[in-house]
Amino acid sequence: MLLTSLSIAFNWHRKFLGKSRVALRETQNKTLAEDVKAVLSYKAFINTKTKNTVDNTRILGILAAAKGSENYLPYTIPKIIQQVSEIGLMADIIIGLNNGFECPTVIDRFTLLTDVQIIHLYTEEKIVNNIPAKIFDNLMCKGKPYDLANFNVKKCKHRIFVVHQREGQYSAGKIRVLGDIYGSLLLKSTCNGWIPPALLIAFDAESQFLCERKYPIVEPNTNGLKIILNQFQRQPEIDVLGTRQRHIVYQQGIEDGIEILLPNFDEDLPPIQWFMNIAHGRINGFMYKPGGGTVGRTDVIISLISVIAERYPGMKLEDSHLSILAKHAGFKGDIFIDVICTNRVPSLTDMTMDNPPKKSWIEQIYRWNTTHEAMKLLYGEHNIKEISHDGFPWFGLKKIVPFWQRVFTNEKLNLYTVYKKLKVLTIALLTSRKIRNRSMQNPEVLQGSKAKASW
């Protein structure tokens, strides 16, 4: 009798859990479908306003800048303008200075660039975390909000728009200033007659676009941006194209007499970041378009980021989120593995300012994973696992052989190198599991008043 009762209870519990999982999956699918619908609605709205026309003479670049960006911008902005010029296009670059951050010395240096006009814009106070603040051309935010406009080139070919986001309770975080730029400046300018460039580059303050045709040899002083834009000409059906993200430790350098941070391709990486360099763009779970280096149709990128900023003001992985929505919205794209965008990561010895201090490289992965856990809860792992993964993939022979070939590229294959690489991979695997277990207990809050977009 007891065994029968236990069996009945077990079967009931299993059926209950099964129904709960089905209900959860249905809710997750519905949420994703609603977000995709919103993205497609924005795109249709933009196309209606522009009558499906684009500006093929210019390219739009968007980045969010916060404290520390002054260490990269003096090099990266002139370099990107130079790369755009080599392609035969003109650049409109919008720099969003997040939550009151200022770097006047850096901005002043941009005025010395040839054929570049600097335009300062200012946001009003952000009253809630998911509504874009209006943007004006004066510090007092008086008069009519500013609209981008198409113009005939006379004195300056390139424009740099510096958006000074007012410091406030709801401003901190990359997605917040991107929300103001995309949801206010770009969308509203489109409503008022602005014809946007055909393509948009999303990048970070430290991003460099370089060629890497044979891992891990980076080709210095190459125009990776030109190569990826040529891909759009060869394949006009592409909507979004990501570069491969190359995590790198940066070091002090000098550029035009000022101290900046530059990538050090020779320094050893932390284990997980090392693994991600090999996996990104080649293995399922690591197929996200990086926020530090993605090019896409302007209407597509505006639609994606506007929905993310509006609905998920706590999002810290807007690039993975964008990639997931793009896939399910039916936008065509890929990772172009011959071009990298550089992304700064901590060194093996860097420590946080916490008490007690923690290893910075572990805390970086933890921050990424907490947001990944939130996306799993939001959309379901079944909907995101191809794009984004928070652990190590189990792949078959077709994948594992090329993986190990890349691991030992340009290294002598002997017992020492095999031992060394296996040791690094083992540390990465074990540490990743610990971080994953920890982050599962603390998923990021993506919505509501408790959502935080910065750390």
Side-chain angles (χ1 to χ4, degrees), residues 434-454:
K434 290 180 181 178
I435 296 173
R436 185 181 189 185
N437 291 335
R438 178 182 163 202
S439 61
M440 287 176 67
Q441 305 302 315
N442 299 285
E444 193 61 64
V445 177
L446 301 180
Q447 298 172 300
S449 59
K450 294 183 179 180
K452 295 180 180 180
S454 64

Side-chain angles (χ1 to χ4, degrees), residues 8-223:
I8 293 172
F10 175 76
N11 288 332
W12 178 87
H13 181 66
R14 186 171 60 180
K15 288 180 181 179
F16 175 78
L17 289 178
K19 290 180 179 179
S20 297
R21 291 192 187 99
V22 170
L24 176 60
R25 179 172 286 215
E26 289 177 350
T27 299
Q28 292 166 333
N29 290 344
K30 182 180 178 182
T31 300
L32 177 58
E34 290 174 349
D35 289 347
V36 166
K37 182 179 179 181
V39 169
L40 295 176
S41 178
Y42 267 127
K43 184 177 183 296
F45 171 79
I46 293 170
N47 295 156
T48 298
K49 288 294 182 180
T50 63
K51 298 179 181 179
N52 289 305
T53 58
V54 294
D55 182 352
N56 287 308
T57 67
R58 311 188 72 81
I59 191 163
L60 185 62
I62 310 288
L63 77 152
K67 185 178 180 181
S69 297
E70 67 276 9
N71 294 313
Y72 315 101
L73 294 175
Y75 178 83
T76 55
I77 295 299
K79 189 65 177 179
I80 286 178
I81 290 176
Q82 176 190 334
Q83 290 182 333
V84 171
S85 296
E86 290 174 0
I87 300 165
L89 296 173
M90 294 172 286
D92 280 343
I93 295 178
I94 302 176
I95 304 173
L97 302 181
N98 184 221
N99 195 31
F101 166 69
E102 296 289 343
C103 50
T105 303
V106 174
I107 303 302
D108 285 345
R109 288 181 64 87
F110 293 158
T111 62
L112 304 177
L113 298 174
T114 304
D115 288 331
V116 173
Q117 178 186 10
I118 311 298
I119 301 169
H120 290 271
L121 303 174
Y122 306 86
T123 73
E124 63 180 1
E125 183 179 0
K126 202 172 181 69
I127 56 174
V128 292
N129 60 20
N130 66 334
I131 296 179
K134 293 179 181 178
I135 296 176
F136 299 81
D137 62 1
N138 63 89
L139 180 60
M140 301 305 294
C141 296
K142 299 293 185 180
K144 184 181 177 182
Y146 183 84
D147 285 327
L148 296 168
N150 304 92
F151 72 110
N152 293 322
V153 179
K154 292 182 179 179
K155 294 182 179 180
C156 296
K157 294 180 180 179
H158 311 289
R159 297 184 292 184
I160 297 177
F161 298 88
V162 183
V163 178
H164 303 262
Q165 188 192 40
R166 184 172 300 184
E167 183 178 4
Q169 179 182 355
Y170 303 109
S171 296
K174 179 180 179 181
I175 194 63
R176 307 287 173 85
V177 71
L178 290 180
D180 289 349
I181 292 170
Y182 283 89
S184 184
L185 184 61
L186 301 188
L187 269 180
K188 291 182 180 177
S189 295
T190 303
C191 286
N192 293 323
W194 174 59
I195 302 299
L199 296 176
L200 184 155
I201 310 168
F203 63 103
D204 290 334
E206 75 266 33
S207 297
Q208 294 187 32
F209 293 87
L210 301 169
C211 298
E212 187 191 86
R213 295 180 179 89
K214 186 177 180 181
Y215 176 85
I217 301 173
V218 175
E219 302 170 35
N221 301 317
T222 48
N223 191 341

